[in-house]
Amino acid sequence: MPELSLSVPYNPFKVDIFQAAWTFLMLFEDYGGLDDFKAFFQTFCTRRPEDRPSAVEALAAFELP
């Protein structure tokens, strides 16, 4: 996690989002046909935590129309 630090405050939700998305992306490497999910999870792995979606934004992006 880019922002994980013992001396600088951070948002633990943003760290959890980064780690979960990274885990899913690593798992998806072994399977085909998951490009839509890869694109979704890549937005959670930006280096800057403030660029990652909030929980509300993530849920809205995942919901089907």
Side-chain angles (χ1 to χ4, degrees):
M1 277 68 35
E3 73 276 13
L4 193 56
S5 168
L6 295 175
S7 60
V8 178
Y10 61 90
N11 181 336
F13 171 76
K14 299 283 185 165
V15 174
D16 290 346
I17 284 294
F18 181 94
Q19 185 59 50
W22 186 257
T23 300
F24 282 118
L25 288 171
M26 295 299 103
L27 291 172
F28 289 168
E29 285 183 359
D30 296 334
Y31 300 96
L34 298 171
D35 291 336
D36 290 338
F37 286 107
K38 287 179 184 178
F40 175 72
F41 284 115
Q42 284 171 340
T43 64
F44 292 66
C45 291
T46 60
R47 293 203 50 83
R48 292 172 26 124
E50 57 272 12
D51 292 340
R52 296 179 204 145
S54 67
V56 172
E57 293 167 334
L59 180 60
F62 192 69
E63 290 179 341
L64 299 175

